Amino acid sequence: MASLFQAIWFAAFAREAGPADFGVFGVVLSGCLLAGAALGFGFGSYALRMTESGTNHRSTVTTMLITRIGTTVAIVSVAAAIALSTADSSSAVVLVGALSAAVELLGELGQGVMSGQRKILRAALVLVGQRLAPLCGILIGSAFGDSLGGLSLGLGVALGVTTLGMLPYLSVPSSLFALIARSRHYWSASLLSNVSQLESPLIGIVAGAGPVGLYAAANRVVSPASLLANALLNVLVPEIASQDDETRRLDIFRRVRLAAFGLLFGLIMLSFPASYAVLLVLGPEYSEAFPIVAGFVIAAGVSGVSKVYQSMLFAIGDARSVARSIGVGAVVGLACVAVIGVALSPGWLGLAPVAAQVVILGLMALAFSRVRPNPGGEVQ
């Protein structure tokens, strides 16, 4: 449900803004998310492993939240200063992009904390509220002729919902530097996974504003499918990490991996019909984005399988392999974007996310084959 709400408000905003302004929104959102990953220290992923019974994690969570709020305010302030300095028609779009990034950054930490503490229902309710508020905002704003104002108000409400969801876990903060030391490998994995945020600015450099808008619209409207993969990670890591029996861990992993492959097959079959449906919603201005949308749908399915491997690697403490796999995949994606942007038409950009996710999946599967448990001498 949360994925659907996000898809609708992204589509509504893309249709109203048009490819050029939505391209600006995509670049700002990508830049802020990359900055947030650099200043987030991997806390969202590290929080997923804080499942030990009888341990009080409130001090750690408090430090995480204070740090995340501080860095997010700094990022949004820089974006606001840039928007005010330009004083053109895209200033409001820049501010909306920065607010959207703030919601995502705080939400990622909140989901990690609540899921790590096995509060799955609370995490789900907060996520629904976080996605529903912007949708209501843009719909109400459109009814009164100010969709950007309504969307901004909705994003502000979403920030409040996310923060309130974490209040039960707050206490006296612990040492920030000790926490960063413990989460350093999760930090590198988080940072490298966000290197793909450079794709939109890179397209703008090599291909111009039009292709940026097409790529950003395809990416953001299909992103709720990737949200399902992230939800799988939020549920699976705490479940696997809490298991002492290696045989049980492997059983959970295999069953979920099979389901993820089923989802991948389904998304491949639905990629072209889904693209038609998305473009009907976005409007004729986005007609060239058809193959790009299909590429992102398929990439979301591949990502779902790699998230299963990522969950197992995180749960057994091998965040380094995750970081390495994601880093190589991100570089492959950027290389594809650069080559396609220079030499081919925008429609071929749909190959970039597929290539990146296939590389990530292959490297994670290889890493898992080297470190996977082998209880009882059984050949896995």
Side-chain angles (χ1 to χ4, degrees), residues 201-267:
L202 181 58
I203 293 171
I205 293 172
V206 301
V212 173
L214 299 177
Y215 192 84
N219 186 5
R220 299 305 168 188
V221 173
V222 177
S223 63
S226 299
L227 188 65
L228 294 175
N230 290 329
L232 178 66
L233 183 71
N234 288 342
V235 173
L236 199 54
V237 171
E239 179 66 23
I240 294 176
S242 65
Q243 299 294 327
D244 296 325
D245 185 351
E246 296 295 350
T247 302
R248 173 64 177 158
R249 281 188 175 188
L250 285 171
D251 181 59
I252 295 172
F253 166 77
R254 287 168 178 155
R255 285 189 285 111
V256 178
R257 181 179 60 180
L258 180 62
F261 272 114
L263 176 63
L264 169 59
F265 178 77
L267 287 177

Side-chain angles (χ1 to χ4, degrees), residues 16-33:
E16 181 160 334
D21 277 348
F22 198 79
V24 173
F25 169 81
V27 169
V28 173
L29 178 57
S30 296
C32 290
L33 290 177

